[in-house]
Amino acid sequence: DWPHTAAPPNSIPLTIVGAGILWFGWIGFNGGDGLQADRLAAQAVINTHVAAAAAMLVWLALERVTDGHSTVVGGVSGAVAGLATVTPTAGYVNVLSAIAIGALAGLVCHSALRLKYLLRLDDALDVLAVHFVGGMLGTLLLGFFGNSGVNPLGADGLFLGGGGSLLWHQFVGVVTVVAFSFVLTWLIAAAIQALIGLRAPAETQERLDQAQQGADAYHLGEVTSLVAPGGPRRRP
């Protein structure tokens, strides 16, 4: 019944654990992709941390203003938005620029949450707003904040006197990747829809564990009649 039905996380504590693992893993993602443990790797790691923190704080503040309260899920979403947005720029900007990029990520990605309703996209994880918009935003922001003093292999962006050349190259890259990804994803989705379908049947959506595995993921206060492997069977 989307979009009239909410899709909250199954477990807020597990959401926090998952976000922590993701944030920690991003250290290797951004800091390690140069395959060297040097000054530039350290810069990328620091940029990753401060951008994620800035985005999380901005997201929480926006929730407070718009909804009257900040939420754990909002904090997680903001942090991931910051991580996704800073990734294209992590090894090419200074710390202050990374903070600005993270803050912009929190603002823009939070605003982009409305897109899935405008475009009628069933996106329970807000991938559109956080990863897609964040990734595009970070790629374009490199054209503004790029700093060849941080990484000689890079170029100066618009804010550092480099002109619009880098921004243009980033724009062309975004358009190319979006077009390629859209076409390929559409073809894959069309093939899956034709073969097995993209959505579970409506009659099984509320009991997928039972329908697909013959068991439930959680047993909260219930006595199960399932027989343990190798255990004695109950007499009728």
Side-chain angles (χ1 to χ4, degrees), residues 14-226:
L14 288 181
T15 299
I16 300 172
V17 172
I21 295 173
L22 190 65
W23 194 327
F24 177 76
W26 227 286
I27 298 174
F29 191 65
N30 284 350
D33 59 7
L35 302 181
Q36 298 184 58
D38 56 8
R39 178 193 61 81
L40 186 56
Q43 182 72 61
V45 170
I46 293 297
N47 287 345
T48 300
H49 280 307
V50 297
M56 180 172 64
L57 290 174
V58 170
W59 192 295
L60 291 172
L62 289 172
E63 278 192 329
R64 186 80 172 182
V65 171
T66 58
D67 302 328
H69 52 267
S70 303
T71 66
V72 171
V73 175
V76 168
S77 299
V80 176
L83 292 169
T85 305
V86 77
T87 294
T89 70
Y92 299 93
V93 301
N94 59 34
V95 175
L96 290 178
S97 295
I99 294 174
I101 290 169
L104 288 170
L107 176 63
V108 174
C109 292
H110 183 272
S111 300
L113 290 176
R114 300 180 181 86
L115 283 177
K116 69 178 181 181
Y117 300 104
L118 294 175
L119 300 177
R120 303 291 297 175
L121 296 177
D122 188 352
D123 182 12
L125 297 179
D126 290 321
V127 174
L128 176 71
V130 173
H131 292 275
F132 179 68
V133 171
M136 287 198 305
L137 177 65
T139 303
L140 293 174
L141 287 178
L142 180 59
F144 292 93
F145 292 100
N147 189 336
S148 60
V150 173
N151 189 339
L153 296 177
D156 288 328
L158 199 61
F159 291 162
L160 279 85
S165 176
L166 179 59
L167 180 59
W168 169 248
H169 288 137
Q170 295 302 106
F171 176 78
V172 172
V174 166
V175 172
T176 303
V177 171
V178 168
F180 172 81
S181 301
F182 177 83
V183 172
L184 198 61
T185 302
W186 187 88
L187 291 174
I188 294 172
I192 294 174
Q193 177 66 19
L195 293 174
I196 61 174
L198 286 169
R199 185 184 296 273
E203 62 271 15
T204 65
Q205 288 183 15
E206 295 298 326
R207 52 183 187 89
L208 278 179
D209 288 344
Q210 281 290 341
Q212 296 183 357
Q213 305 179 58
D216 291 316
Y218 302 97
H219 302 281
L220 304 177
E222 296 182 358
V223 178
T224 177
S225 61
L226 293 177

